[in-house]
Amino acid sequence: MLTDYLTAYRPGDGRRAPRAAFDSDGARLSLNGRWRFRLSPTAEGQPVDADFSSWDELPVPSMWQLQGYGVPAYTNVNYPFPVEPPYVPDDNPTGDYRLEFEAPFERGVLRFEGVDSCFKVWLNGEELGWSTGSRLPSEFDVSLRPGRNVLAVRVHQWSAASYLEDQDMWWLSGIFRDVTLLATPVVNDFFVHADYDHRTGNGTLAVETGAPGATLSVPELGLSGVPAAGPYTLPVEPWSAELPRLYDAELSAGGESVRFRIGFRTVAVEDGVIKVNGRRVLFRGVNRHEFHPETGRTLDEATMRADIELMKRHNVNAVRTSHYPPHPRFLELCDEYGLWVIDECDLETHGFHPVGWRGNPSADARWREPYLDRMARMVERDKNHASVVIWSLGNESGTGSKEPGGTDNLRAMAEWARERDPSRPLHYEGDWDSGYVDMYSRMYAGVEEVDAIGRREEKPLDDPALDEHRRGLPFVLCEYAHAMGNGPGGLSEYQELFYRHERCQGGFVWEWIDHGFSHERYGWAYGGDYGEELHDGNFVTDGLVFPDRTPSPGLVEFKKVIEPVRVTVSPESVTVTNLHDFRDLSHLSFSWAVEEEGREVASGVLDVPETGPDASVTLPLPALPETAAETWLTVRAALAAGQPWAPAGHEIAWGQCQVRSATAAPGASAGATAGESAEASAATAGSGPAKASTVAVAGTSEGASAGGELAVGPGVFDAATGRPLRIGGVPVEDVRLDLWRAPTDNDLRGWPTQVATEWRRAGLDRLHHRLLGVDRTAGELVVRSRVAAAAQDRAMLATYRWSATGDGGLALTLTTEPEGEWGFPIPRLGIRATLPASVDTVEWYGLGPGEAYSDSVQAARVGRYAMSVDDLQTPYVFPQENGHRPGVRWAELGGLRVEGLFGLTVRRWTSEDLDAARHLTDLVPREAVYVNLDLAQQGLGTASCGPGVLPRYDLPAEPATFSLTFRSAV
Ligand code: GAL
């Protein structure tokens, strides 16, 4: 058959040997642009010389499903076709591409940076060869004819290679990276060795190249036209992710020259620790897929820069290129901006897991060649990047055979790479034995296990030799803190372990970006939105940034948790600890500010003396001004000068400390007597807008019934039900106990149980409130109710005690008491209320400005904030609980002021609407504003993939008391 290559184990035919990615000054022609295109439903396409004059046009590079040909499909683990390697379905969308171009030269190289997944190439009707390995380059030698040439490329969605490309992402196809025609190079390949000896401060430079007579120039090092091979040992400034010093270099041979950049650094695993330039490094990392909401895995340079700049601005210092080598330009940018890179090979066979790993290519000798081919193409392409410090064999491809002498293609990849490039340690997570790699790597291990690993006290392997080897290795979490939806919670507990244990060298959050496609109907589309037969829903949207790269609260939290400077503030002094691995703090400026109830009353700058990595300095603070209200001192570290990734003044780290606690204002609620309250409430009622229908009776804290209404301070109640109707003139409805939140992805997906399933089973989303009694005692309106779900005998008893304060307020003390069996944490405990739709802006004093939850609260600081109701929402791709601001001392919304210490959530839809919504476009503002005032909420955790909420952040159903004061905001 014409298409036999689709089921071949071998990775390609007719290709040139893999080599480094670089641009020379030789002639080149970009073939990016509009190509002729036709999509067929099967691989048995038309002859290659078909008349294509009537075909459509398609941009190259692009992914055809995003240009209106077919639709994207998302699966995480499952192959979307039967598992019968090397066979693929007859329904195999096949794109024929044609490009006519004028020959720029006679002989050259045709280079494809990435074609998903298998393609064959013809030039002027003659077959050049075929290739697989979607995220790897393929090159073919070409002889051009003078004038017009016709290039034909046939791309198949499925091939045997698809079994090796089961990464958790959208299935998308086409020529999705650049295509270039290069004049046959003189310098075909080169390998830069640029080591750094931290003891002497010298770099050693040697450039291996097959080009005869090649010379090297590095003007800054005084090297000019010297033989490339070297080696040259001379004083240099080293490269690191923190100080990415690069030297411009030029390699010349046969009249051709190649410009490239050199970073001197030495990576080594020594004493069980990964060291760069002699120092232990800590990875504050993220896993980055290539994704754009319009173009899929086709990225332009601006998008790559946007990713890197955002990472740098959020204190991220490392990237794992999950799970394939990125566009080569990305690595040049990592060299330039400074990021540690784990370059991961384009390999994942996770779909064999659901069939018990039967037939896994990792343990099958027939697949050895494509495994080695992939590793070689990555290592050869990317070997000259200073930023690439670790090679990763791939992701979730099981293990090779564990039988003596059995096939282990992963080990074979490792052996090849170690031989070819002994300068970089190797990584692979999928084989916990870690027998052929240089670090022990895990994903989603819980804090307790990571702690044990950090102490080198992990559970032993059966094989003592392997165990000893592994126990001696450094440890990384190649994935942790699953950033799906609202979360991740519990980041700081991991960070503490990374600081505590030398062996724990950090981790890489899963993952950088939500892979949601722009969609007319859904806003952002995820798995299932294109009618896929099998899909994994919104599991594809689990990033620290939304699909449009807006940082999510998770990224803001991560930035704070991983800050490279710790600022510990006390009222008298500030201690600054440098947590960088290489640089001192001279690039930062430190300032302090004192805020009394959120208003700045004093500020200044701090002179922090030279403080090297790992060192600390304690500085006295000037005498702070006297204040009357709650007062906080904040110390900030910001960039002193602009960097390529952020302007001067960009904040890197901060610390905050309370220097004065709140005191009760004279006459405030606490000590007020009933009589005083009554006067105050009468005065408020008299001056407020609500005096019309209710009259408070002087001398008691309660008003008399007027038309079935009852006044308590500024509150007006339904006398029969005890329900508040108005407070300080603001209409309020439905003020009652609330236990429900729209489950987060982490609530919904836990292992082995999902807390949200328990909540629904218990009916927390459909609670009924039965009034037990309304009692009017002197000074108090007491309303008791029993809150329970249909078909359940467990309940929460709620007692609301309403009273007037001495200064015009309405105090509420809510006590709750669980009845029956509650063996699970509850979503929230607090009050909900419905306010008029006219509420537009919320001002508060408390934690902010972004949302925060008990286990994701490091980034929140005490201050005075104002935000519109719309801006208080966090637009998670899959709607869920969001927008909670904890630690609020007071909030003002639409004429109503609430005081106490509470969590605040304000939205234009109910929790039930949020729960029912599947896409952001399902959320339609109602004619009301819904407010939650929480005593507490359940933590977030990362159970959507990994450990759930740590016990200390659980919200158990226990007796509780919650006090609030309401008053008119005017
Ligand atoms: C890991 C996998 C990632 C991703 C993640 C869950 O097991 O390596 O590719 O699927 O889980 O989002």
Side-chain angles (χ1 to χ4, degrees), residues 76 167-168 289 320 323 348 350 395-396 443-444 479 482 510-511 539 542 945:
N76 168 15
Q167 291 93 339
D168 175 4
H289 265 285
R320 172 177 178 233
H323 302 300
E348 176 159 341
H350 206 177
N395 187 55
E396 295 185 317
M443 47 175 78
Y444 310 111
E479 295 179 27
H482 199 248
W510 186 267
E511 66 175 309
F539 205 59
D542 52 1
C945 185

Side-chain angles (χ1 to χ4, degrees), residues 460-766:
L461 292 169
D462 291 341
D463 177 333
L466 266 179
D467 186 65
E468 195 191 327
H469 167 76
R470 193 180 73 177
R471 209 171 289 280
L473 294 177
F475 179 72
V476 295
L477 278 165
C478 70
E479 295 179 27
Y480 79 118
H482 199 248
M484 185 177 189
N486 193 343
L491 280 169
S492 45
E493 282 76 9
Y494 283 103
Q495 199 65 24
E496 280 164 25
L497 297 177
F498 303 158
Y499 292 134
R500 186 179 316 151
H501 301 300
E502 190 183 42
R503 185 189 195 187
C504 295
Q505 297 198 255
F508 297 77
V509 167
W510 186 267
E511 66 175 309
W512 175 244
I513 188 167
D514 283 341
H515 312 206
F517 284 122
S518 310
H519 193 284
E520 217 170 290
R521 168 154 168 224
Y522 296 131
W524 300 122
Y526 51 77
D529 289 343
Y530 299 99
E532 300 104 293
E533 175 187 339
L534 287 181
H535 66 81
D536 289 292
N538 64 318
F539 205 59
V540 76
T541 53
D542 52 1
L544 289 171
V545 297
F546 295 119
D548 61 3
R549 293 185 157 72
T550 304
S552 78
L555 181 59
V556 178
E557 177 77 359
F558 189 47
K559 173 186 177 182
K560 172 66 182 153
V561 168
I562 60 173
E563 58 191 9
V565 181
R566 187 184 298 129
V567 181
T568 314
V569 192
S570 80
E572 298 81 34
S573 67
V574 51
T575 300
V576 175
T577 306
N578 183 357
L579 301 171
H580 289 93
D581 294 324
F582 297 94
R583 73 186 315 184
D584 65 18
L585 301 180
S586 55
H587 63 297
L588 299 176
S589 59
F590 290 78
S591 58
W592 59 270
V594 176
E595 287 175 348
E596 182 179 17
E597 209 173 292
R599 301 228 190 270
E600 188 172 302
V601 292
S603 65
V605 294
L606 280 174
D607 265 336
V608 175
E610 199 177 305
T611 310
D614 294 337
S616 270
V617 57
T618 298
L619 306 166
L621 283 165
L624 303 178
E626 277 300 310
T627 50
E630 181 175 339
T631 304
W632 285 73
L633 168 64
T634 307
V635 175
R636 304 169 62 239
L639 290 177
Q643 300 284 325
W645 42 271
H650 169 80
E651 187 176 279
I652 297 291
W654 56 273
Q656 215 183 21
C657 136
Q658 193 181 50
V659 290
R660 188 187 202 287
S661 58
T663 45
S669 55
T673 65
E676 286 164 346
S677 301
E679 278 166 39
S681 69
T684 308
S687 62
K691 62 181 174 186
S693 64
T694 305
V695 181
V697 177
T700 72
S701 63
E702 289 172 42
S705 286
E709 293 181 352
L710 179 73
V712 180
V716 177
F717 292 77
D718 179 308
T721 61
R723 281 217 311 264
L725 301 172
R726 289 183 298 283
I727 301 176
V730 178
V732 295
E733 276 175 41
D734 206 20
V735 181
R736 58 189 163 97
L737 176 72
D738 196 7
L739 304 181
W740 184 239
R741 76 178 181 196
T744 64
D745 287 309
N746 291 312
D747 296 335
L748 287 166
R749 284 178 185 258
W751 308 334
T753 54
Q754 306 84 36
V755 70
T757 307
E758 286 187 280
W759 293 345
R760 283 196 215 280
R761 207 179 290 135
L764 301 188
D765 55 334
R766 47 183 174 80

Side-chain angles (χ1 to χ4, degrees), residues 2-27:
L2 278 173
T3 52
D4 279 352
Y5 62 100
L6 288 180
T7 51
Y9 289 98
R10 66 182 195 285
D13 222 354
R15 301 170 307 172
R16 300 182 91 237
R19 62 189 186 115
F22 59 86
D23 288 335
S24 75
D25 63 355

